[in-house]
Structures are given as C-alpha cells and as structure tokens.
Amino acid sequence: MALVIIGLAIGFTLIDIIFGELRNSYGYYLLLIVVGGLSYACCLANKQTLGACIGLIGGNLLIFVFATDKAIMDGVLMLYIPAVLCTLVLIDGKLLILRVLLCAFSASLVVLAHYIDYPLLSYGTETALKYPITFFVDFFASLVISITVLQFVVGVNAKVESKLLDNQNELHQLSKALKKSETRLVLANKGSRIGIYEWSVMADSIYVSEEWLSLLGYHLKDLQIASSADFLALLHPDDQALMKSTIKRYAHISEPFELEVRRKTKDGTYRWFLDRGMMTVQDEQHVHDVVIGTTMDIHERKMNELQISDQFGKLQETNRELDSFVYSTSHDLRSPLNSILGLLYLAEDADSIDELRGYLKHMEKNVKILDEFIVEIGMYTQNAKQEVKTERVEVWTLLQEVLESLRYNAWYKQVQVFCDVPQETVMYTDKSRLRIIFSNLISNAIKYQDPLKENQFVRISLENKSDETHVLIEDNGIGIDNANQEKIFEMFYRAYAQVEGSGLGLYLTSEIVNKIKGKLFLCSRLEEGTTVKLIFPQKIRV
C-alpha cells in the first residue's frame, strides 16, 4: 500500500513534467509521498493496521482535493475504486467495523466532491483544455492500481492455497503416522495387559480404557467410571488414602509416580496392581490437574514376593532359633559329660568300693540327664519334620499310660495324682504328640511340687464343649512368678536352676500344641500352684 502511494505520486510528477504542468500540484505530490512514507514506516514497525489506515485516509483526502475541481472530477473520482479495493484487502476481516468505516469514508468523499461548489484546487483554463489527457491518466492510474491490488490478492491467495495444500499433505502424513502409532499402542497394551486411565482432578472426571476394565474382569457395558469416587471405590479401603496422598504430593511436581495398590475385581476378590503415571498441565494457569496413568496386573508377582518375604522372616527366625539351639545344646551336652569326666578322674583314685560306688551313682545321674536331653532333642526334631497324623485317641487310656511311665519317678511317690477324666472320652488327633504334651506337663507338675506342703497333688480334668475338648492340669506346687511366666515357653529357658532340666520341655510342648491346632494357657501364683489349660479341637482337619 505504501509503495503504491509513493509510486502514484512519482508517476503523476513525471506526467506533469512530460505534458507541461498538467496539474501543477507538486506540493500535493510531495504530501502523498510523505503519507506513503509514514505508512511504510508503520509496516516496518509491525503495525500494519495503523500503516494501512494512514495510507488510506491520506490517499482518500488527497483524491478529494483533486476531485473538487469540476473540470477534471470525473477522471479523479475513478481513483476511489482502487481506494475501496485497498480498504477491503488491507484491513483484516476481524476488524469489520474499521473496514466499513473506511469504505463509508471513501463514499462520503465522493458524494461531497460531487456537490461542493468551491474547488480546493483550481488548475485554470489550460488544464481544463487538457481534460482528455488528465482523464486518460486518472483512468490508467485507477486501472494499474486496481490490477496491482487484484494481483496482490491473487498472489496471497495462491500462497495460502499452496500452504494449505502443504499443510493438508503434512496433516495426512501425520494422521497416518498417528493411526499407525495408535495401532501399535493398542496391540502393545493388549499384549502386555496394561490399562490406561486419565483422571482430571479439577473437573472430577475419569476416563479408563477398555483394557483397563478387562484387567478387573469387566466390559465397557458392565461398569461405568465417571468420577473419582467411582475410581477410588474400586481400591482396597487401606489403599484409598495412599492413592489420594500420592496424587496430592505429585500435583506440584512434573515427576512420574509409581505405587502398588489392590483393586476389587468383578468376582469380588482383590488383586494387586502396579500404577505408574504423571501429572500434566492442561490449562493456561499451568496447574498440574490431570493424571495420565497406566495399570498393570502384578498379583502373582506380589503374592510370590509376600510368600518369599514371609518365608524369609520364618527363615530368619529359624536361624535365630538354630543359633540359640546349637549354643545351648552344646552347653547342656558338655555339662554332664564334663561331670562324668571329672568323676572318672576321681574314681581312679578311689580308696574303697563304697567310694567308687558313690562316683558311679553320680555318673549314672549325669548319664540319665544326658539321655533325657537327647530324647527331648529327638522329640523336637520329630515334631518339626513329621506331618500330623490324625487317629482315634481314647484320652483316659492315654493318660493312664503316661502316669504309669512316670510312676517310678523319684518325685511321684510324694504326690497324689487325681485323674478326673471320663473313660469314654475320645478325640481325633495325633496320638504321639498328645502323649508328649501330657507327659511334659504332668511331669513338670510333679517335679515342681512344694516339699513344705503336706498334701501335694496334681489334678487332671477334662470337659467337652461343642467341638472342643478342654483339659486342665492343676497342681499346688511352688508356682511361677509373673516375671517368668512370659518366658517359660522360650527355648532353653529354665525358671528354677535348682531343679534339673534342659529348658526344652515347655518350649517343645508349646510347639506341639500349635502343630495340632490347639491352644495353651497358663495361670500361676508363686507358692500357691499352677494351672495349665489346653484346648483341642475334637477332630483335627489337616
């Protein structure tokens, strides 16, 4: 536009020189060049609309000045045609009001020039005689400007069409690449069993893929997840707070998150899933409010991990017990052996048969202690390795066998034993293990009697309750203080050092009770006595 105005001014100047001052308006031509220069300067400053307005308004006013001369008005008015064309081309269609105002401005100047009687510029009689030449010049200028404007429009349109065509081809290629990528993603998701979800936190909306639903056993028609409440409701109650806190923590950082959660499947069971995702920016305020995440089924792996962790914990506990077992066993085995070795040295120097018999008596005692300890170790190993064998057990008969085996114990003769157990009582359990339980508890009740009491007793009673059998073993012995009651079932723990024993008996008893699905309770008062309560299922279901 600016260059057209400057070119028009220079062209009129040259024509005036050639035809001998056709209009004699060099001052106005200079003003036209100034207007074109201002318009061009605005365009260089990236203010195209302002530059167009300056050029259009200035051009319209100068045309009006020339058009006020009635002698040449007809030819000059033709210049308004390219002026209007320039308005329509140069003013953006979004500025519709400005475009209409400039067109109306041109039209009003045409009307005003037609009816005004006072010419703002008079050329005189000589210029009027040259009217055919001025008319032809104005017509030619209007034609050239209009063609230039139209050619500009055609050129711009061609460039736009070419760019649109290039964009269309590029868009087509991108569309094909996107479709191919989408196909790969769908196949990858199905092959790897990964579901996708999008959680808009601010809008409280959720999108889940079909594969995501299939991980839980659902189809699209079976379950609709529209809000965060629906999404969180599928989580295990213990994992809902974890998911919320994770989303809240990562809302302000652009880092991926990862967490393991349990979700409820269609059949009502919970399975373990691994969620990975990231908060993204979806609005102009740059707030991370949309979660793009993936979900993968890791239930089998998680179960294996938990099983391994549980087995590892048990292995550590076993190792601790083994360390304690080896240490205590070596100590308890060496003690009687050292005593026997010392007695052998003394026996070599014995002066009489009676002295030698005394040493042998002590040796026998240590050998019995050693034998009892080895038997208990064998029982411990047997209980750990052998499976539970369920058989019919007549409890009264079994108790009689146990009491008979203890009858020749040195402490047995000083204690009254009462067996208040109905003879018809029957249990279905592991007979050999039940025998060890009764033998250990009854022998302890006899062994830890109070010698200062006249009526020392042990009472065994039994009561059947629905599908359980309750057995009580009571005594009025020395009892156990509160501090030791929590420790007596530990391996190798001995509450009283003055009484012989390995410290394995009650630990072994507790382990066997657990093995046959029973329960053991102990209540004791120091110097009053002890009551042990056993609860067994009447039939073990292995």
Side-chain angles (χ1 to χ4, degrees):
M1 173 66 183
L3 297 177
V4 170
I5 294 174
I6 295 172
L8 184 63
I10 295 172
F12 279 143
T13 302
L14 292 174
I15 291 171
D16 271 10
I17 294 173
I18 293 171
F19 289 97
E21 299 183 357
L22 188 63
R23 284 193 175 90
N24 193 19
S25 303
Y26 297 116
Y28 288 100
Y29 298 155
L30 180 61
L31 184 59
L32 198 59
I33 291 173
V34 172
V35 170
L38 289 175
S39 177
Y40 185 70
C42 291
C43 292
L44 291 178
N46 202 26
K47 297 181 180 179
Q48 284 82 3
T49 302
L50 178 60
C53 289
I54 292 173
L56 290 170
I57 293 173
N60 275 285
L61 290 175
L62 288 172
I63 293 171
F64 172 75
V65 171
F66 289 120
T68 55
D69 189 344
K70 301 296 184 179
I72 60 172
M73 180 183 67
D74 295 338
V76 175
L77 290 179
M78 286 189 293
L79 293 173
Y80 278 109
I81 296 174
V84 173
L85 285 176
C86 288
T87 301
L88 297 175
V89 171
L90 298 177
I91 302 301
D92 194 337
K94 296 179 181 178
L95 304 174
L96 182 60
I97 296 176
L98 179 60
R99 180 187 282 185
V100 171
L101 288 175
L102 288 173
C103 290
F105 179 65
S106 298
S108 63
L109 290 179
V110 171
V111 175
L112 188 61
H114 182 74
Y115 288 103
I116 193 172
D117 288 332
Y118 180 77
L120 299 177
L121 182 64
S122 178
Y123 299 111
T125 306
E126 184 179 350
T127 302
L129 293 175
K130 297 180 180 180
Y131 170 73
I133 298 175
T134 58
F135 179 84
F136 175 76
V137 170
D138 294 336
F139 172 78
F140 183 76
S142 300
L143 184 61
V144 170
I145 295 172
S146 299
I147 292 173
T148 303
V149 171
L150 292 175
Q151 184 63 35
F152 172 77
V153 172
V154 171
V156 170
N157 186 62
K159 289 182 180 179
V160 171
E161 286 183 355
S162 177
K163 190 172 182 179
L164 286 175
L165 185 61
D166 292 341
N167 289 341
Q168 184 178 2
N169 292 333
E170 185 179 355
L171 184 62
H172 180 67
Q173 295 298 325
L174 289 174
S175 178
K176 288 175 62 178
L178 181 61
K179 189 173 182 180
K180 188 175 182 180
S181 177
E182 183 180 1
T183 302
R184 284 198 297 263
L185 180 60
V186 170
L187 292 175
N189 285 340
K190 287 185 177 180
S192 58
R193 297 279 293 161
I194 295 177
I196 299 173
Y197 63 88
E198 180 180 302
W199 179 359
S200 179
V201 180
M202 301 295 290
D204 192 26
S205 63
I206 296 282
Y207 160 79
V208 295
S209 66
E210 185 176 358
E211 188 64 29
W212 193 94
L213 289 172
S214 71
L215 292 175
L216 303 180
Y218 291 101
H219 296 287
L220 286 173
K221 61 181 180 180
D222 298 333
L223 183 65
Q224 296 294 325
I225 300 178
S227 65
S228 58
D230 301 330
F231 187 72
L232 294 172
L234 293 171
L235 290 170
H236 190 280
D238 295 341
D239 296 335
Q240 293 181 9
L242 174 63
M243 174 64 81
K244 291 178 181 177
S245 63
T246 300
I247 298 302
K248 185 177 181 181
R249 184 167 67 253
Y250 283 86
H252 305 290
I253 55 177
S254 297
E255 293 182 5
F257 65 84
E258 180 178 305
L259 71 161
E260 296 177 353
V261 293
R262 289 158 290 180
R263 286 190 172 91
K264 194 173 186 179
T265 60
K266 188 177 181 179
D267 61 8
T269 61
Y270 284 94
R271 292 182 65 85
W272 281 97
F273 294 91
L274 174 64
D275 276 26
R276 290 191 178 105
M278 190 171 180
M279 299 289 287
T280 60
V281 178
Q282 294 289 329
D283 61 8
E284 296 178 355
Q285 284 73 35
H286 301 288
V287 177
H288 298 73
D289 72 330
V290 176
V291 182
I292 305 297
T294 62
T295 297
M296 182 171 63
D297 191 328
I298 59 167
H299 189 73
E300 283 71 22
R301 190 196 80 187
K302 189 68 176 179
M303 290 296 99
N304 291 335
E305 288 178 357
L306 293 175
Q307 184 179 3
I308 291 172
S309 176
D310 182 59
Q311 290 175 347
F312 182 71
K314 290 179 179 178
L315 182 61
Q316 286 183 314
E317 181 64 26
T318 302
N319 285 338
R320 284 193 294 268
E321 291 179 358
L322 183 60
D323 290 341
S324 175
F325 179 79
V326 170
Y327 173 78
S328 300
T329 301
S330 62
H331 177 269
D332 289 345
L333 285 173
R334 285 177 58 84
S335 293
L337 288 174
N338 287 334
S339 296
I340 293 172
L341 186 61
L343 290 168
L344 285 172
Y345 290 145
L346 292 173
E348 290 178 354
D349 299 328
D351 297 328
S352 65
I353 296 297
D354 292 337
E355 185 180 358
L356 182 60
R357 286 177 178 171
Y359 293 146
L360 291 175
K361 192 71 174 177
H362 286 296
M363 289 183 193
E364 181 185 9
K365 180 180 177 182
N366 281 282
V367 169
K368 287 182 178 179
I369 292 173
L370 187 59
D371 179 66
E372 180 183 351
F373 183 68
I374 293 173
V375 169
E376 288 181 342
I377 290 176
M379 289 180 180
Y380 170 76
T381 305
Q382 183 180 9
N383 178 66
K385 290 185 176 181
Q386 287 188 356
E387 297 295 329
V388 175
K389 180 182 178 182
T390 303
E391 58 184 304
R392 187 176 185 274
V393 180
E394 295 179 358
V395 181
W396 185 85
T397 302
L398 180 63
L399 284 170
Q400 295 305 313
E401 294 174 0
V402 170
L403 293 174
E404 183 64 26
S405 67
L406 297 174
R407 191 175 301 277
Y408 300 100
N409 191 300
W411 298 283
Y412 190 89
K413 299 176 182 178
Q414 306 169 13
V415 180
Q416 287 184 293
V417 179
F418 303 97
C419 184
D420 301 331
V421 176
Q423 294 187 15
E424 67 275 9
T425 303
V426 174
M427 290 173 56
Y428 290 86
T429 185
D430 191 311
K431 185 176 181 179
S432 62
R433 285 184 166 89
L434 188 61
R435 182 193 301 274
I436 295 171
I437 294 170
F438 287 155
S439 179
N440 285 346
L441 292 176
I442 294 172
S443 65
N444 273 6
I446 294 171
K447 188 187 299 184
Y448 291 96
Q449 282 294 322
D450 188 350
L452 300 178
K453 293 178 182 176
E454 295 183 0
N455 298 319
Q456 301 174 30
F457 70 87
V458 174
R459 178 174 287 107
I460 308 165
S461 59
L462 182 147
E463 183 180 3
N464 286 321
K465 292 186 177 182
S466 62
D467 58 348
E468 291 181 341
T469 298
H470 293 206
V471 180
L472 292 179
I473 301 175
E474 306 170 78
D475 66 69
N476 63 342
I478 57 178
I480 308 169
D481 59 26
N482 292 331
N484 285 317
Q485 288 184 28
E486 297 179 357
K487 302 177 182 179
I488 59 172
F489 294 105
E490 295 178 3
M491 184 183 287
F492 298 115
Y493 185 80
R494 295 172 60 188
Y496 298 101
Q498 65 269 25
V499 180
E500 296 174 357
S502 63
L504 273 175
L506 286 179
Y507 171 78
L508 178 62
T509 300
S510 175
E511 290 293 304
I512 294 176
V513 169
N514 291 333
K515 191 83 171 182
I516 61 175
K517 314 298 182 184
K519 299 175 183 177
L520 188 152
F521 303 94
L522 182 139
C523 179
S524 183
R525 290 181 179 273
L526 192 63
E527 298 180 356
E528 292 185 14
T530 301
T531 299
V532 176
K533 183 176 183 179
L534 299 165
I535 301 177
F536 300 108
Q538 288 188 357
K539 185 173 183 179
I540 300 177
R541 291 176 173 82
V542 183

